[in-house]
Amino acid sequence: MSKKNINFETIISNKMPKVETFNRKLVLDQATNVFHNKGYNASSMQDLVDATGLNRSSIYNSFGSKLDIFFECLKLYQTQAQEAFSKIIMDSKCPTYAIEGIFELYLNEITKDKENKGCLISNCTAEMGNQKSSITTFLSTNQDGMIALLEELIKNAQEKGDINVTKTSKDYALYLFSALQGFRMTGILINDKTQLRSIVDTTLQNLK
């Protein structure tokens, strides 16, 4: 019997973990810009190649499909938002200041958004809310988390007497979540800070 030649270098290289030679966070930021500007459905793999400077095989090997990289972009965007909310809450003297701070954060993001891109997660909800089960689950979980955060802030504010008890904390949390979503969408068409602040003041006035 003849012995087969064994290529040990190939065997070893196949078992070696793949090392990424690029900044993953930077690539996700670049991909996020693509999805933010064009939406998921209108974005192509070539758009991602052009934006990141990676070839198709590198993107597929490191992230998977277009949906996979989009999902990572959503999660990164969510994490950044959660960190911003946490800082606002920690820096606020009371729950009502924290709620106002969240609206102020959105207002500043809208006025700085000169390209009128809107919120990536809000845009995704409008575009893909019922298209992919994994995306729907992500959006629902994100919504539940945001509503729970608002409900806790409102409950604490009601206990302090800073927010009325005409409605339950859950009712007001749903109201504010809906208001925030609408505020981000409105901000795509209205960029005037005075008008936007009037919307915020009117919204929060119902809590007093």
Side-chain angles (χ1 to χ4, degrees), residues 146-159:
M146 188 63 182
I147 290 173
L149 171 65
L150 292 170
E151 183 176 1
E152 184 66 21
L153 290 172
I154 292 165
K155 182 179 179 180
N156 291 338
Q158 286 178 322
E159 291 174 352

Side-chain angles (χ1 to χ4, degrees), residues 29-203:
D29 285 339
Q30 293 165 332
T32 296
N33 285 333
V34 173
F35 292 125
H36 217 159
N37 283 317
K38 304 187 71 171
Y40 175 80
N41 291 314
S43 299
S44 67
M45 285 302 294
Q46 187 58 49
D47 290 327
L48 297 175
V49 169
D50 294 340
T52 63
L54 300 177
N55 57 44
R56 288 172 182 262
S57 60
S58 294
I59 293 177
Y60 283 122
N61 290 335
S62 298
F63 298 98
S65 66
K66 185 178 83 165
L67 181 62
D68 291 328
I69 189 172
F70 179 61
F71 198 71
E72 284 208 42
C73 290
L74 282 175
K75 290 190 288 186
L76 177 61
Y77 192 88
Q78 179 193 52
T79 297
Q80 292 170 339
Q82 290 172 340
E83 290 172 351
F85 294 153
S86 295
K87 186 178 187 308
I88 288 171
I89 293 170
M90 290 181 64
D91 293 345
S92 298
K93 297 179 180 180
C94 64
T96 51
Y97 281 20
I99 294 171
E100 291 171 5
I102 291 173
F103 274 92
E104 188 71 20
L105 172 68
Y106 278 32
L107 188 152
N108 289 333
E109 288 182 352
I110 291 170
T111 54
K112 291 178 182 178
D113 182 13
K114 302 306 179 183
E115 297 176 349
N116 299 323
K117 294 183 293 185
C119 168
L120 183 66
I121 293 179
S122 296
N123 294 349
C124 176
T125 303
E127 181 185 12
M128 299 183 65
N130 59 356
Q131 289 186 19
K132 304 285 185 180
S133 60
S134 58
I135 297 296
T136 301
T137 299
F138 169 84
L139 293 172
S140 295
T141 302
N142 180 75
Q143 173 178 294
D144 291 344
M146 188 63 182
I147 290 173
L149 171 65
L150 292 170
E151 183 176 1
E152 184 66 21
L153 290 172
I154 292 165
K155 182 179 179 180
N156 291 338
Q158 286 178 322
E159 291 174 352
K160 293 176 180 293
D162 295 332
I163 290 179
N164 69 64
V165 292
T166 304
K167 300 287 186 180
T168 67
S169 57
K170 181 62 175 291
D171 288 336
Y172 275 139
L174 290 169
Y175 161 70
L176 288 183
F177 178 79
S178 178
L180 286 167
Q181 293 292 94
F183 188 54
R184 290 309 304 261
M185 297 302 291
T186 300
I188 294 176
L189 299 177
I190 297 177
N191 198 261
D192 182 81
K193 196 165 187 176
T194 301
Q195 292 183 35
L196 293 170
R197 190 170 296 283
S198 176
I199 294 172
V200 173
D201 292 343
T202 302
T203 300

